[in-house]
Amino acid sequence: MTTVSRRRRRGPGAAPYLMALPAVVLFIAFFLIPIGYAIWLSLHAMRVRGKGFGVRTEVFVGMENYVTAITDSAMYEALVRMLAYGVIMVPVTMGLALSFALMLDVPRVGLKGFTRISIFLPYAVPGVIASVLWGFTYLPAVSPITRAFTELGLPAPDFFGDVSIYFSIANIAIWGSVGFNMVVLYTALRAMPAEVYEAAKIDGASEWQIAWRIKIPLLAPALIMTSVFSLIGMLQVFSEPNTVKSVTNSITPDWVPLMRIYQQAFIENDVYLGSATSVLLALVTVLLSLAALAVFRLRARRSA
Amino acid sequence: MRRRTLLATSAATMLLAACGNGDDEGGENGAAPAIEGDENAPATIVFWSWAENIQTVVDLWNSKNPTQQVQLSGQAASDELVSKFLTASKAGNAPDVIQAEYQALPTLITNNALQDITSVIDPIKGAFAEGTWNLTSFSGATYAIPQDVGPMMLFYREDIFTEMGFSVPKTWEEFGVLAKAVRAKDPAKYLTTFSPGDAGWLAGFAQQAGANWWSNANDAWKVGINDEATKKMLAFWSGLVNAGDLLGDPMYTPQWNSQMSDGTIIAWPSAVWGAGVLAGVTPGTKGKWKVAPLPQWSASENVTGFWGGSSTGVAASSKQKAPAAKFARWITADPEAVAALVKIGLYPAATVGQGADMLGNAPEYMSNQPDYYTTAAAIAKTARGFDSWGPNTNVAYGAFEDLLPTAVKNKTDFAAVADQVQTTSVDDLKKQGYQVA
């Protein structure tokens, strides 16, 4: 017994705990407690007592909100729309970001700094502002695109059609996120040892072959990270459709899952149901991210 | 002359109100918890409002009531204010007095956030038209005092109407015929757009048609969102929009702004505050718009509905309810306060503020219609609301704003939407525990 306590005394003491304390406190205050509160809310609901207007009181309802959330057909429709949006947004964003990064990395390309900045700049524009800008360009009566088509005597595209709406919304997100992903990939490319490329060149590899056979495989970790970010971005899509909603009949207030949650919590004033749906969506997000990471890792390992 | 007398009497009533010393406070009807305490006691009252420049009205009160100072806390949008106020009430730091839109009142009441002020409003009841007063009373209890209202009326481009040889439609039937005539004469123009995402606008049309979305009898709620009047109204718009005679695009978009100013849209069913919106949206067409009563469902009728407007209420959590109620009465009904409300661009709910005497000449934007406010006051008298706003008005509004845009997009029957909204609203009421008749 005495040896143990002596050993402890000789150890680092309270210092590591003290140093970890701020992080732990912040983690508890801004992560665990809000999550705990959301879970607590999701198990409760407002019920009316009394006559006429009555008085609403908070009562424990068990899993009732979860049952409502799981059987909510609007939520599944929202999920399908989100996937349709994601099928366009994720591959196009990643494809463009990768192509731009590879192109910028080719030696003897002019105006590199300028190009990089102009591709990156949209990322600095807040999503809501971007949506307002693009929404403006989509509205037939004020759209410069529609105007150009009519001037040329061509039929103007309908940006708010049943199918085109997904491209229109994805376009806003792609415009805003390609730059960020490109910079991450480009930085990863710059960090690679130059000897690898030199060796490839000595072996007679063309720029194409270097890109395909060397750069992309070496980029795998950065690609995995940016893909997971894009996937999470898809799950969190909200501000683009929510902003464009006000200018078109094609976007309903429950268009994507987060909009459905917003509708439940703040339009229908049912924070309890909104919390239950949020908890479920958070679970799905975590599972999806883990699954995506696992798949990507497996691939990376196989190709390595 | 007659208007003068009326004004004089209401002014006198309100003077009396201002002198009233709280004799009528006491809550004789046991059901309502009375407001207690001396309403002239020194107090610092916190007031939440989103109206622009309302500080000038508050300053006026503060200069006259040195012991009862009001602190204005300017808040953001009206919808946000409801969530904020409910949260603040829960947290115990709600203001004493709050400005709230009429349809938000039930939500505030059922969350126990608003004080029943029935016992302290007798002195000013006469200052409002009955239809207006009903906007803030629920099953006989009053929870707020009407501050400003939005009786609906029809704005139209007088210059284009004259040029195309059209006269202002008196009935909705004529409105429909005119919509087709406009298309036939100039395919670039539309009479108006039916904006499916504005449930408040729709509610105004329903009120005019004679609908009664909510009423309460024997402690059970009756929901009539799919009543005949509402369906008739929706079917009417459905026919015109789906046939392409009217646009079905939302209002308040850059596209709408441009169509309103370039003459693509030549009429706008709106409310009295519409002149202010037009001045902002299409300053170039100043002096070209005129206002007329909303078209009627039958030639012999003369009714309109409400779109927008707000009231002033006392928070249930306030610790100085009597002085707070005194301020709420003042800001809504005292002639001086009403005059100050007019100055900041509100169309007051109190009848004393609705005549040309108080409002003066037409707004500058409507300079071509010198009798703008006289017309507006005449229209305001014909406005009718529902019996009551429902305890889940927000759910019904949300459902309309969810389903109607899709109906417009898919060209399906709008009247069918009313059935869906009815089901959604009733189901929600039952789920919350309300009795539904």
Side-chain angles (χ1 to χ4, degrees):
Chain A
M1 289 298 270
T2 39
T3 42
V4 171
S5 56
R6 215 174 276 158
R7 213 175 274 159
R8 253 192 209 154
R9 226 174 276 145
R10 236 180 278 139
Y17 298 100
L18 265 176
M19 282 184 209
L21 195 66
V24 172
V25 167
L26 289 176
F27 180 75
I28 292 172
F30 296 109
F31 199 77
L32 289 188
I33 291 180
I35 288 181
Y37 186 52
I39 293 174
W40 186 89
L41 279 176
S42 70
L43 299 172
H44 290 73
M46 279 290 189
R47 290 289 177 261
V48 175
R49 268 192 332 204
K51 294 166 175 176
F53 266 120
V55 171
R56 282 179 219 214
T57 39
E58 206 169 57
V59 293
F60 180 79
V61 293
M63 299 304 281
E64 200 184 305
N65 287 327
Y66 285 96
V67 174
T68 314
I70 287 172
T71 51
D72 178 22
S73 61
M75 190 64 185
Y76 292 101
E77 288 163 25
L79 276 168
V80 170
R81 283 189 286 256
M82 179 199 76
L83 287 173
Y85 156 87
V87 162
I88 304 164
M89 193 277 280
V90 179
V92 175
T93 306
M94 293 316 301
L96 283 177
L98 181 61
S99 327
F100 287 143
L102 288 172
M103 283 194 253
L104 278 175
D105 196 45
V106 173
R108 292 184 307 279
V109 168
L111 286 174
K112 260 188 199 175
F114 175 76
T115 317
R116 210 169 57 216
I117 292 282
S118 28
I119 300 175
F120 182 73
L121 214 54
Y123 177 67
V125 178
V128 173
I129 308 291
S131 308
V132 171
L133 288 173
W134 280 104
F136 204 93
T137 352
Y138 293 155
L139 279 171
V142 288
S143 166
I145 303 172
T146 307
R147 182 127 179 229
F149 272 78
T150 3
E151 300 272 306
L152 292 169
L154 297 167
D158 175 10
F159 294 105
F160 295 134
D162 285 333
V163 177
S164 57
I165 185 76
Y166 294 100
F167 288 90
S168 301
I169 298 297
N171 172 54
I172 304 174
I174 294 165
W175 181 77
S177 58
V178 162
F180 170 76
N181 290 303
M182 176 202 72
V183 164
V184 172
L185 296 177
Y186 181 68
T187 317
L189 277 175
R190 301 304 298 165
M192 281 169 199
E195 304 93 74
V196 183
Y197 303 146
E198 274 162 24
K201 269 185 203 145
I202 290 166
D203 286 343
S206 68
E207 281 298 334
W208 259 115
Q209 284 169 319
I210 295 177
W212 262 126
R213 305 268 166 97
I214 298 172
K215 289 182 179 175
I216 293 182
L218 282 176
L219 266 184
L223 276 172
I224 290 171
M225 192 180 75
T226 43
S227 302
V228 170
F229 283 167
S230 293
L231 266 182
I232 294 174
M234 169 193 83
L235 288 161
Q236 293 180 342
V237 59
F238 176 77
S239 48
E240 290 87 0
N242 199 50
T243 309
V244 176
K245 180 189 77 184
S246 61
V247 302
T248 172
N249 294 333
S250 298
I251 295 182
T252 54
D254 55 3
W255 207 66
V256 287
L258 284 193
M259 285 172 76
R260 175 72 185 136
I261 292 174
Y262 183 86
Q263 188 188 35
Q264 288 173 338
F266 301 112
I267 295 173
E268 293 167 7
N269 251 320
D270 194 344
V271 195
Y272 308 93
L273 178 57
S275 297
T277 318
S278 303
V279 170
L280 289 176
L281 189 73
L283 275 177
V284 173
T285 310
V286 169
L287 289 177
L288 243 154
S289 311
L290 288 179
L293 267 176
V295 168
F296 287 135
R297 279 217 185 109
L298 208 69
R299 276 227 188 122
R301 215 172 286 152
R302 243 182 238 161
S303 58
Chain B
M1 268 327 263
R2 196 179 292 160
R3 195 173 53 234
R4 280 269 163 77
T5 337
L6 182 81
L7 273 174
T9 14
S10 20
T13 323
M14 263 164 303
L15 269 175
L16 283 175
C19 305
N21 48 11
D23 276 350
D24 33 43
E25 297 176 26
E28 45 274 37
N29 50 346
I35 293 181
E36 281 164 8
D38 178 10
E39 68 170 32
N40 295 315
T44 306
I45 300 160
V46 179
F47 175 40
W48 277 11
S49 168
W50 71 86
E52 251 173 83
N53 300 323
I54 201 157
Q55 182 69 51
T56 57
V57 189
V58 171
D59 287 344
L60 183 64
W61 163 275
N62 284 342
S63 67
K64 307 180 98 189
N65 298 276
T67 58
Q68 295 182 310
Q69 292 287 296
V70 172
Q71 276 177 5
L72 175 71
S73 165
Q75 299 290 332
S78 43
D79 299 338
E80 255 175 63
L81 194 66
V82 173
S83 310
K84 254 190 172 176
F85 180 64
L86 289 179
T87 316
S89 295
K90 251 189 192 173
N93 54 8
D96 300 289
V97 181
I98 181 184
Q99 179 189 6
E101 285 182 302
Y102 297 111
Q103 74 274 11
L105 292 175
T107 309
L108 299 182
I109 297 166
T110 50
N111 281 292
N112 216 7
L114 267 194
Q115 171 66 34
D116 179 345
I117 52 171
T118 319
S119 61
V120 293
I121 39 79
D122 280 345
I124 55 153
K125 210 171 166 181
F128 300 90
E130 206 190 322
T132 312
W133 190 256
N134 286 344
L135 292 168
T136 58
S137 293
F138 303 89
S139 345
T142 302
Y143 286 90
I145 308 167
Q147 180 177 304
D148 62 285
V149 286
M152 290 184 79
M153 37 210 229
L154 182 70
F155 287 83
Y156 65 97
R157 278 286 290 274
E158 192 196 14
D159 55 331
I160 297 178
F161 268 59
T162 321
E163 194 189 305
M164 297 179 86
F166 296 139
S167 53
V168 182
K170 294 232 165 7
T171 62
W172 286 112
E173 199 186 334
E174 286 176 26
F175 184 89
V177 173
L178 181 61
K180 289 182 207 294
V182 170
R183 301 293 300 141
K185 213 159 190 179
D186 183 352
K189 290 195 189 316
Y190 287 91
L191 181 55
T192 196
T193 185
F194 175 78
S195 177
D198 288 87
W201 191 56
L202 206 68
F205 286 130
Q207 289 169 343
Q208 189 212 17
N212 208 0
W213 285 3
W214 293 280
S215 53
N216 186 302
N218 303 324
D219 297 318
W221 284 95
K222 197 166 169 282
V223 183
I225 295 171
N226 62 347
D227 63 7
E228 230 170 275
T230 307
K231 283 192 156 177
K232 170 181 75 179
M233 180 271 292
L234 282 170
F236 170 76
W237 288 104
S238 187
L240 290 172
V241 175
N242 290 343
D245 298 329
L246 292 179
L247 287 167
D249 300 326
M251 302 183 274
Y252 298 119
T253 67
Q255 169 160 298
W256 183 73
N257 296 355
S258 127
Q259 291 170 329
M260 289 290 277
S261 43
D262 69 11
T264 307
I265 295 175
I266 61 169
W268 181 36
S270 178
V272 60
W273 40 261
V277 174
L278 288 176
V281 162
T282 158
T285 54
K286 179 182 161 191
K288 292 180 176 165
W289 294 85
K290 253 190 145 177
V291 73
L294 216 56
Q296 301 293 317
W297 286 103
S298 85
S300 59
E301 271 179 349
N302 187 17
V303 243
T304 192
F306 290 104
W307 182 23
S310 62
S311 61
T312 306
V314 175
S317 60
S318 170
K319 293 195 170 59
Q320 35 202 2
K321 286 174 189 158
K326 185 181 159 197
F327 171 70
R329 280 202 315 247
W330 178 85
I331 199 169
T332 50
D334 183 272
E336 238 184 307
V338 170
L341 288 178
V342 168
K343 266 203 198 117
I344 62 167
L346 293 176
Y347 188 77
T351 44
V352 64
Q354 293 181 350
D357 297 49
M358 177 88 67
L359 293 159
N361 298 324
E364 208 202 330
Y365 188 81
M366 306 292 289
S367 52
N368 56 320
Q369 195 173 12
D371 63 346
Y372 179 82
Y373 280 125
T374 325
T375 313
I379 295 172
K381 286 207 186 79
T382 68
R384 76 172 283 272
F386 299 132
D387 272 8
S388 167
W389 291 103
N392 65 345
T393 305
N394 50 331
V395 172
Y397 273 29
F400 265 121
E401 290 172 4
D402 189 352
L403 299 166
L404 212 45
T406 311
V408 169
K409 195 184 105 201
N410 299 337
K411 294 190 194 299
T412 54
D413 182 15
F414 303 173
V417 169
D419 288 326
Q420 287 170 276
V421 177
Q422 169 83 7
T423 315
T424 309
S425 305
V426 170
D427 287 352
D428 178 72
L429 277 181
K430 285 183 180 158
K431 190 185 103 184
Q432 291 193 49
Y434 287 104
Q435 307 246 353
V436 182

